[in-house]
Amino acid sequence: MADTALMPIPGQVDPVTVPREVTPRADGRVDLIGLARGQIAELFAEAGLDAKAAKLRAKQVFHWLYHRGVTDFAAMTDIAKPMRPWFAERFVIGRPQVVEAQHSSDGTRKWLLRTADGHDFETVFIPDADRGTLCVSSQVGCTLNCRFCHTGTMRLVRNLTPGEIVGQVMLARDALGEWPKGRMDFAEEDDGPEFDEHPAGHYTADGRLLTNIVMMGMGEPLYNFDNVRDALKVVMDGDGLGLSRRRITLSTSGVVPMMARAGEEIGVNLAVSLHATNKAVRDEIVPLNRKYGLEELLEACAAYPGASNARRITFEYVMLDGVNDSDEDARELVRLIKRYKLPAKVNLIPFNPWPGAPYECSKPERIKRFAEIVFAAGISAPVRTPRGRDIDAACGQLKTAAAKKSRAELDRLAEEKQAALG
Ligand code: SAH
Ligand code: SF4
């Protein structure tokens, strides 16, 4: 089953708590969502099918699960009717439980989801004129306490499993009504695909709303590498959710030792939460910088497999008033990008405030000026319009209401109180 342990990160010991294991389902059935074809075949073989049948059934079921989005074995028309209960007795096709679905006035949608063992996490869908982007979470909480990020005030509860990660995309497709529709090209009860490589038949799958995925929800995806990779493999599989890797972006706060592997084993677009151009400021706002510094990070970007002018690395830069938003910062940003010869674009993100946040957003004129300096150097530098602020769905606002104050937040509040007193 999915490994929910944090993977060891080379280098010093990481400041991570030990995540709790996922609790198995009470009814003993196994949820297939998140599993690869081979894993499904293994389970079918363990349950008694011979190797050849297990492989064939896994191929059929994989297609139904991920490409057609069915949640009931009874709907799998290329499996003989009497056989379908055999699957249903042993396996389930799960979805994350929806605790709350919110709709922003700007069209953004947010789902508060709950894992089978009772942990809350969030997914956000952001519709634009030319695309629809799903912002997917990789962990419940985050171990990295970036000071401007609300999620960073939660302690890490645990890594999300591949099923919980891919489940977010599936749930969004359910809600948007976007599973391929149309007629299947084989008869009900056709159990003949033993002789058929592609039991899918033909259908139309046009005009989708959900076109892109960004791993920019709660958590640091490169601290949950294996599960994120396995989930994205299913998302990218042509017979699975079928999204091209060019439409998927993984955002990291800079887990340098995992970046090359992300490029090689997942191959999606890379976004890096840079946010500062010198050690002092980055150490303060992205504490992971104390472990993997700017030079190392930018070298890892330069070496990222697949980065090119056609597939540029995105540098995210949150605009914090008086902290990282000067002309000098903008020029230094340009200098760094040029020095490391990075095919780059810069996303300027106006800081999204949250209650108790220690920063304010830069003034609009400041952001404009910053963008102009970067743009004048030939680097694309769009300013991101905050989306879904009214439902707390904007970047860095994700924090489930149920989450209790973390150790880090308590420490921070204590520090601030102390400072106010002193
Ligand atoms: N952990 C990953 C991905 C999730 S955060 C990472 O840090 O890259 C997605 C983006 O939102 C990051 O660039 C993050 O720095 C930014 N962000 C976090 N809090 C924010 C806030 N309050 N306002 C604006 N952007 C924020
Ligand atoms: Fe974690 Fe990313 Fe937030 Fe930093 S910005 S605390 S890495 S989710």
Side-chain angles (χ1 to χ4, degrees), residues 6-216:
L6 277 178
M7 58 167 317
I9 304 288
Q12 293 158 249
V13 178
D14 282 286
V16 291
T17 50
V18 180
R20 268 178 264 153
E21 284 296 321
V22 184
T23 321
R25 285 176 57 92
D27 66 7
R29 291 188 297 169
V30 178
D31 189 349
L32 294 179
I33 294 297
L35 301 185
R37 254 186 229 88
Q39 292 170 305
I40 296 175
E42 271 171 36
L43 285 176
F44 287 177
E46 276 166 30
L49 296 186
D50 69 53
K52 188 163 169 273
K55 198 169 166 215
L56 167 75
R57 296 306 182 189
K59 189 172 158 60
Q60 291 173 306
V61 169
F62 184 92
H63 176 85
W64 283 112
L65 298 184
Y66 299 121
H67 204 79
R68 303 288 303 228
V70 309
T71 51
D72 191 347
F73 292 99
M76 300 187 180
T77 49
D78 56 356
I79 294 173
K81 221 176 211 168
M83 174 108 204
R84 294 176 206 162
W86 183 89
F87 289 100
E89 282 156 22
R90 292 163 178 81
F91 305 102
V92 286
I93 304 167
R95 288 289 189 273
Q97 181 197 340
V98 180
V99 181
E100 197 182 357
Q102 286 175 284
H103 233 118
S104 161
S105 53
D106 70 10
T108 300
R109 298 172 69 161
K110 181 169 90 168
W111 293 277
L112 173 62
L113 306 174
R114 185 161 296 161
T115 64
D117 57 344
H119 303 301
D120 291 352
F121 60 108
E122 293 174 326
T123 299
V124 176
F125 177 68
I126 307 148
D128 274 306
D130 61 338
R131 64 173 66 183
T133 306
L134 191 72
C135 182
V136 172
S137 293
S138 56
Q139 300 182 307
V140 180
C142 187
T143 50
L144 299 167
N145 300 300
C146 300
R147 275 186 69 89
F148 49 83
C149 174
H150 208 193
T151 310
T153 66
M154 286 175 78
R155 60 173 182 259
L156 178 75
V157 178
R158 70 164 167 80
N159 284 334
L160 291 174
T161 62
E164 288 156 353
I165 297 169
V166 88
Q168 297 170 59
V169 187
M170 302 185 74
L171 182 112
R173 274 209 180 157
D174 290 345
L176 299 167
E178 296 216 308
W179 293 104
K181 296 184 188 73
R183 213 173 60 82
M184 299 287 281
D185 249 5
F186 49 81
E188 270 291 298
E189 284 227 29
D190 173 6
D191 200 22
E194 258 104 345
F195 319 103
D196 185 352
E197 268 295 285
H198 295 284
H202 301 291
Y203 53 79
T204 49
D206 42 348
R208 294 246 171 93
L209 292 170
L210 198 173
T211 59
N212 291 53
I213 290 182
V214 292
M215 295 301 304
M216 292 188 189

